[in-house]
């Protein structure tokens, strides 16, 4: 859908959906709409986040918001705090960020709230500190979908390696906790070997190599982030002659999270079996959309939206939970998946 450019049009659309509260009636319809937006990227060593950045760049060029030069905090909370201060010094009226350490950002969010600078948090939900909107998929659903896929493919038995994302991140916690709970309740005969990786591909590969030496009968892998784990994992398995096609003896069933083109290529090649597509395009689209609406003084409330998602209340604000479909060989060519739209106008 095209993003609305006027308060009147936005109100009409929002009032048509039960999820979205009415616009701030009585406020100046032009207030804040020309404010600058500060956008911090969390990292550049992940194909997923690089794709997100490309979508952000397109939205800015299309004039969705007027943005300050983007910064990159490189997975470092100290750099994020410094980047945010720079945005404030440059006159930012709204900020888009994706804090990887969701606990340590609280004081910065409090400072921004005191300055009345709304924050849109993408992909991660800060533990504390006020946010205008979190734009994120349901990460517990990631863990549950991965569990069910592996449980069904392995017929409820075997050994599964799980690459856990950083547990100081809400995403790492949500995926890990949901995966563990699902396996315990539904597939108790599958042994889960959880490996802490801090979202680092080299750490995952090294730990997988050690695990394969002690447990050579591993028959499943859950990678919580294909953008960082895919390449080193496939390289290791290929080196050990463990990349065997689905349906053949010794095949290790692999499911990932992200939905990047490289994962789709691996699914088509029979190297991995599935991924859960994080909507990089929608993360960027709605990050900019909510930044724009925040500048216009709009408010939202919990419930279903007009773009196939659901807004929920969280202790420190609201969260728009965007859909994230399971991708297998059966739907890997679906043109509606963002990874299949890259390079198209």
């Amino acid at each position: 859908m095209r993003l609305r450019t006027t308060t009147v049009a936005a109100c009409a659309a929002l009032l048509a959906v039960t999820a979205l509260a009415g616009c701030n009636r009585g406020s100046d319809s032009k207030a804040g709409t020309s404010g600058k937006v500060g956008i911090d990227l969390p990292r550049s060593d992940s194909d997923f986040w690089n794709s997100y950045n490309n979508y952000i760049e397109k939205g800015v060029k299309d004039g969705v918001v007027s943005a300050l030069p983007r910064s990159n905090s490189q997975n470092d909370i100290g750099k994020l705090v410094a980047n945010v201060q720079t945005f404030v010094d440059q006159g930012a009226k709204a900020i888009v960020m994706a804090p990887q350490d969701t606990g340590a950002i609280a004081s910065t969010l409090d400072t921004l709230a005191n300055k009345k600078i709304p924050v849109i948090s993408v992909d991660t939900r800060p533990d504390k500190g006020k946010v205008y909107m979190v734009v994120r998929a349901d990460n517990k659903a990631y863990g549950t979908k991965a569990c069910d896929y592996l449980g069904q493919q392995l017929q409820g038995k075997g050994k599964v390696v799980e690459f856990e994302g950083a547990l100081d991140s809400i995403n790492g916690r949500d995926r890990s906790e949901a995966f563990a709970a699902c396996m315990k309740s539904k597939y108790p005969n599958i042994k889960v070997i959880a490996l802490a990786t801090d979202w680092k591909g080299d750490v995952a590969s090294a730990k997988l190599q050690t695990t394969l030496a002690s447990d050579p009968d591993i028959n499943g892998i859950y990678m919580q982030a294909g953008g960082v784990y895919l390449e080193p994992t496939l390289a290791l398995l290929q080196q050990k002659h463990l990349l065997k096609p689905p349906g053949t003896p010794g095949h290790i069933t692999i499911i990932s999270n992200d939905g990047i083109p490289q994962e789709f290529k691996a699914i088509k090649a029979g190297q991995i079996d599935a991924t859960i597509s994080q909507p990089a395009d929608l993360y960027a689209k709605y990050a900019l959309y909510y930044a724009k609406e925040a500048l216009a003084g709009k408010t939202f409330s919990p419930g279903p939206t007009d773009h196939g998602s659901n807004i929920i209340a969280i202790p420190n604000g609201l969260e728009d939970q965007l859909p994230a479909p399971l991708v297998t060989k059966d739907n890997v060519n679906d043109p509606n998946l963002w990874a299949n739209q890259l390079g198209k106008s």
Side-chain angles (χ1 to χ4, degrees), residues 176-233:
S176 298
E177 290 170 3
F179 187 77
C182 171
M183 280 292 182
K184 182 178 180 180
S185 64
K186 299 177 71 173
Y187 308 102
N189 293 324
I190 292 180
K191 178 182 178 181
V192 176
I193 303 173
L195 305 178
T197 68
D198 198 30
W199 302 120
K200 295 178 180 177
D202 57 341
V203 173
S205 179
K207 290 189 174 183
L208 177 60
Q209 182 162 351
T210 300
T211 302
L212 287 170
S214 61
D215 296 85
D217 54 343
I218 294 295
N219 60 348
I221 297 176
Y222 170 35
M223 303 189 296
Q224 287 190 9
V228 292
Y229 301 136
L230 180 68
E231 184 177 343
T233 300

Side-chain angles (χ1 to χ4, degrees), residues 135-188:
V135 176
R136 179 174 181 255
D138 183 347
N139 278 249
K140 287 186 179 294
Y142 288 179
T144 301
K145 285 182 180 181
C147 163
D148 280 328
Y149 184 82
L150 284 172
Q152 292 164 17
Q153 294 296 310
L154 302 183
Q155 298 181 337
K157 56 187 177 182
K159 286 184 181 178
V160 169
V161 166
E162 175 192 13
F163 295 155
E164 289 186 325
L167 297 182
D168 60 1
S169 158
I170 186 66
N171 290 352
R173 292 199 301 274
D174 275 359
R175 297 176 199 186
S176 298
E177 290 170 3
F179 187 77
C182 171
M183 280 292 182
K184 182 178 180 180
S185 64
K186 299 177 71 173
Y187 308 102

Side-chain angles (χ1 to χ4, degrees), residues 51-56 122 135 279-289:
S51 295
Y52 165 80
N53 181 35
N54 291 337
Y55 284 113
I56 285 286
V122 180
V135 176
D281 56 339
L282 299 185
Y283 277 9
K285 176 177 181 177
Y286 288 103
L288 298 182
Y289 168 76

Side-chain angles (χ1 to χ4, degrees), residues 69-88:
R70 290 189 292 287
S71 63
N72 191 316
S73 51
Q74 300 174 329
N75 204 24
D76 183 323
I77 188 63
K79 290 181 180 178
L80 174 57
V81 171
N83 292 344
V84 167
Q85 183 58 54
T86 299
F87 288 148
V88 173

